[in-house]
Amino acid sequence: MAAAKPGASGPVAPAPSGGASRTPQIQLIPATAAGALDAAEEAVDLLLESGRTPGDVLVITTGEPHPWAAHELSFGDTSYWAQHDAGDDVFYTDAAVAERAASRPVVVVAVNGGSDSVAAAALPLALSRAGALLIVCGDPQQINAVLGAGV
């Protein structure tokens, strides 16, 4: 076993270049469909307050789009995705087009409605896009049924 490097005490942060074989940590925040978007917003606020940069965070919604996404899409698809590609701010997207989003260190999913099949498709996709942490806000029974018991 390799010796610990000096100054490496405290919480262990995942390596920024974590390979595809690395499974992100999964955090579940119980919420109703009506409260999932608010719970996701609180999670994003806590991430930013704890030192995450806005460009580290991708938020996916399964029901109504986040108000930011709806607003930005009013300027057109090209402008909206250009903001994603810039990678310098939290990016909000709908589960229907989330496969177009690139991986980010943290992915937050608001299971705020939509059919079970939308959540069933969105959650594994979000897991594949999360580099270090996947936060899922929604009904624990529905989420566990999709991601596996004990999440």
Side-chain angles (χ1 to χ4, degrees):
M1 200 171 216
K5 293 181 182 176
S9 62
V12 177
S17 63
S21 64
R22 186 173 188 98
T23 302
Q25 177 185 353
I26 300 172
Q27 180 181 355
L28 173 61
I29 299 174
T32 63
L37 197 53
D38 288 338
E41 282 295 313
E42 289 177 26
V44 169
D45 289 345
L46 288 171
L47 288 164
L48 299 177
E49 289 170 11
S50 71
R52 283 281 178 188
T53 62
D56 281 354
V57 183
L58 170 66
V59 179
I60 300 171
T61 57
T62 63
E64 288 292 316
H66 186 277
W68 180 91
H71 173 74
E72 292 303 319
L73 279 166
S74 71
F75 299 107
D77 201 51
T78 303
S79 172
Y80 172 75
W81 286 104
Q83 291 190 28
H84 166 270
D85 296 341
D88 56 5
D89 205 352
V90 176
F91 189 77
Y92 298 86
T93 191
D94 184 84
V97 294
E99 72 179 27
R100 187 168 168 185
S103 295
R104 292 208 176 178
V106 180
V107 176
V108 179
V109 179
V111 184
N112 63 328
S115 67
D116 284 347
S117 64
V118 170
L123 292 172
L125 175 69
L127 184 62
S128 75
R129 295 296 191 267
L133 178 62
L134 171 62
I135 300 172
V136 185
C137 306
D139 175 19
Q141 288 182 319
Q142 179 185 20
I143 294 162
N144 282 329
V146 173
L147 288 180
V151 174

